[in-house]
Amino acid sequence: MAEIKLFSISDTVKERTSSEVILEKELQNLIEQNMEIFFGVRFLKSEYQITNGRMDSIGIDENNSPVIFEYKRSQNENVINQGLFYLDWLLDHKADFKLLVIKKMGMEAAEKIDWSVPCVICIAHDFTKYDIHAVNQMQRNIKLVSYRKYDKDLIMFEHLNTPTVKPISENSVSDSEAKNNTQKSHVEKLASAPDEMKKLYYSVCDYIESLGDDIVQNQLKLYLAYKKVQNMACVEIYSKQIILYLKIDPESVTLEKGFTRDMRSTGHYGTGDLQITIKNAADFEKAKPLLDRAYNEA
């Protein structure tokens, strides 16, 4: 991939030198200790032992989806296929992952695990254009991230692809998850919504996606999340309204009954403390400045 040039401009302009001089274990430790800051993922375990190998790092993101991290240790290592193998293993051993979450985070967190879009993040100093093409063809939630170390105090992560994946079929869930399947999924609600509400929904989604190229769409079972590093907006659709949850402090907003609501002490799907209810085009126009703010503050 093309080299990114980084310059210091504090006193005199000076190019910061990029280097591969970082041990893979050092990189792994750095990411595990700062996983939520770097990737919006809560760290669970390092070197997670499975039947035929071990995952480098494993965590769970803010949407309660499992996330596997694999680090490329050599030029010959096929970290993508390795990550794909671990992802399939995890889907066949959901009970093992749930037990890990119970031990680390408690039963309440374990009951919220969302298996619709588990993710693999492959991290290496570089990937080829063929790697990116191969991952895009797989249509699995595999993300390629390259890193650069600059001098002693800077590290940069570049997200090289935006995978387009379909949520895993409801037929693949276990009996213990059956109680959660009685509720319609986000995709089902969208399909059954009136045409007028669908048009409004797509207008909202188009506006969010237009805010920046760094926004990634993440289709969960019960809602659609838009994220940069962490979620900036979560979207739900119903027959008569669209509900947004934004990561904005409700105390910084003048709340309007029927339009905005403080959700800090109220349970809900998705993330974000400020709820916005959009029933028509006028509500959408009022919501735009708050969407702008959510993007800028994310």
Side-chain angles (χ1 to χ4, degrees):
M1 303 302 292
E3 178 71 9
I4 292 175
K5 299 292 186 180
L6 182 68
F7 294 87
S8 170
I9 57 172
S10 55
D11 294 316
T12 59
V13 175
K14 180 182 177 183
E15 183 176 354
R16 305 295 289 264
T17 305
S18 108
S19 170
E20 290 188 54
V21 183
I22 179 172
L23 299 175
E24 296 296 339
K25 188 60 181 177
E26 179 187 346
L27 175 68
Q28 181 175 345
N29 290 339
L30 178 66
I31 289 175
E32 289 177 351
Q33 292 164 13
N34 301 278
M35 195 174 278
E36 194 158 6
I37 296 172
F38 290 152
F39 297 100
V41 176
R42 293 162 286 175
F43 173 65
L44 288 174
K45 192 171 179 60
S46 180
E47 307 296 336
Y48 182 55
Q49 191 74 42
I50 65 171
T51 311
N52 300 308
R54 98 192 140 181
M55 304 174 189
D56 290 338
S57 310
I58 192 165
I60 188 167
D61 69 15
E62 61 184 325
N63 298 309
N64 303 304
S65 295
V67 182
I68 299 166
F69 286 81
E70 287 297 311
Y71 311 94
K72 189 172 183 179
R73 292 179 166 78
S74 69
Q75 290 286 67
N76 315 355
E77 187 176 13
N78 195 331
V79 69
I80 297 170
N81 283 348
Q82 193 171 308
L84 184 60
F85 171 80
Y86 290 148
L87 180 58
D88 288 340
W89 185 95
L90 198 63
L91 289 170
D92 287 335
H93 297 80
K94 294 178 182 178
D96 296 278
F97 181 78
K98 183 174 181 178
L99 183 59
L100 174 64
V101 175
I102 291 171
K103 289 179 179 177
K104 297 288 184 178
M105 302 174 65
M107 181 60 76
E108 185 177 352
E111 293 296 335
K112 294 178 181 177
I113 297 172
D114 189 327
W115 287 102
S116 55
V117 281
C119 177
V120 175
I121 299 179
C122 299
I123 299 178
H125 189 263
D126 218 341
F127 291 96
T128 69
K129 62 182 180 181
Y130 305 108
D131 292 328
I132 298 172
H133 178 76
V135 165
N136 290 339
Q137 292 299 309
M138 289 177 187
Q139 294 189 326
R140 302 293 295 273
N141 198 11
I142 300 176
K143 300 177 182 179
L144 305 184
V145 178
S146 68
Y147 72 89
R148 291 287 186 278
K149 179 128 182 330
Y150 291 89
D151 299 336
K152 295 179 179 179
D153 60 342
L154 292 174
I155 189 166
M156 183 198 72
F157 295 106
E158 182 180 7
H159 295 251
L160 302 178
N161 70 315
T162 304
T164 302
V165 295
K166 294 180 180 179
I168 292 171
S169 169
E170 295 296 336
N171 294 330
S172 66
V173 300
S174 64
D175 292 339
S176 63
E177 296 169 293
K179 63 181 181 181
N180 295 323
N181 293 340
T182 56
Q183 184 173 358
K184 280 188 177 182
S185 70
H186 178 85
V187 173
E188 290 170 335
K189 288 179 181 177
L190 176 59
S192 63
D195 288 343
E196 185 176 346
M197 195 54 57
K198 283 182 185 176
K199 289 178 183 177
L200 185 58
Y201 169 86
Y202 287 123
S203 295
V204 171
C205 291
D206 287 345
Y207 184 80
I208 294 173
E209 291 170 19
S210 73
L211 292 172
D213 293 336
D214 53 347
I215 294 177
V216 177
Q217 184 190 102
N218 196 8
Q219 177 64 70
L220 283 300
K221 178 187 173 185
L222 298 175
Y223 58 92
L224 180 67
Y226 284 99
K227 64 186 297 182
K228 291 167 79 174
V229 173
Q230 298 186 10
N231 289 351
M232 58 152 285
C234 293
V235 187
E236 297 179 27
I237 184 169
Y238 299 91
S239 60
K240 296 183 179 180
Q241 62 190 19
I242 294 162
I243 300 294
L244 303 179
Y245 293 102
L246 306 185
K247 282 197 171 178
I248 292 178
D249 182 358
E251 291 186 2
S252 66
V253 176
T254 301
L255 299 179
E256 181 181 335
K257 188 175 181 180
F259 177 62
T260 48
R261 182 183 174 192
D262 183 348
M263 298 297 289
R264 285 176 294 183
S265 58
T266 305
H268 60 279
Y269 296 115
T271 58
D273 292 331
L274 180 68
Q275 182 192 79
I276 299 177
T277 301
I278 299 177
K279 297 180 180 178
N280 48 49
D283 289 339
F284 178 31
E285 288 302 314
K286 284 195 297 182
K288 285 180 179 179
L290 293 169
L291 286 167
D292 293 346
R293 184 176 157 194
Y295 172 76
N296 292 324
E297 293 180 7

